[in-house]
Amino acid sequence: MIELRKTPRTNVIWRAAIKLAEGKVTPVKVVNISSGGLLLHCSGQVEAGKEYHLMMEVPGINQASSEHYQVPCKVRALHARLSGDIYYVGVTFTEISSLHQSLFEAWLSITTRYDHLV
């Protein structure tokens, strides 16, 4: 299949939490990443166009280590689609440290090397 998106996505399963508009912190699952954003699965209502605080648990790129990093960031919901009782939410980063952006770039670099083998 040919990827037509501006930035390639990499499938992951990462734990995260999002602070919703009413201040409630809700667990979410990050299911794919790109250099500009994420796709989340969330049980709480997320509205497109709004900005949210997100905290992710990102594994280090050294697979021999069990090290994980807490990555705080701000995201803007681009779309939110309810399927059953889960929202599928596409977000773009509005605020993320350069160090954590480099971690994402490293993850994308490593995984794109192996995508053609699958």
Side-chain angles (χ1 to χ4, degrees), residues 23 28-29 32 39 47 53 61 72 83 93 97 99 106 108 116 118:
V28 298
K29 179 170 48 171
N32 74 36
L39 179 64
E47 295 181 45
H53 291 271
I61 59 172
S83 179
F93 296 115
S97 74
L99 176 65
L108 292 167
H116 71 282
V118 179

Side-chain angles (χ1 to χ4, degrees), residues 14-102:
W14 294 344
R15 294 186 307 178
I18 192 167
K19 187 174 183 181
L20 298 176
E22 61 273 6
K24 180 180 170 187
V25 176
T26 301
V28 298
K29 179 170 48 171
V30 178
V31 295
N32 74 36
I33 64 171
S34 72
S35 60
L38 313 162
L39 179 64
L40 310 172
H41 288 177
C42 180
S43 61
Q45 183 176 2
V46 177
E47 295 181 45
K50 290 201 173 184
E51 196 168 85
Y52 297 92
H53 291 271
L54 185 72
M55 176 67 79
M56 293 177 286
E57 186 175 288
V58 179
I61 59 172
N62 179 357
Q63 294 187 2
S65 171
S66 61
E67 190 171 27
H68 284 73
Y69 300 94
Q70 299 298 313
V71 177
C73 60
K74 283 187 183 177
V75 296
R76 176 170 289 109
L78 299 175
H79 60 81
R81 179 177 52 88
L82 182 61
S83 179
D85 57 353
I86 299 293
Y87 285 89
Y88 289 64
V89 185
V91 300
T92 187
F93 296 115
T94 58
E95 193 175 301
I96 186 168
S97 74
S98 58
L99 176 65
H100 293 129
Q101 184 67 37
S102 296

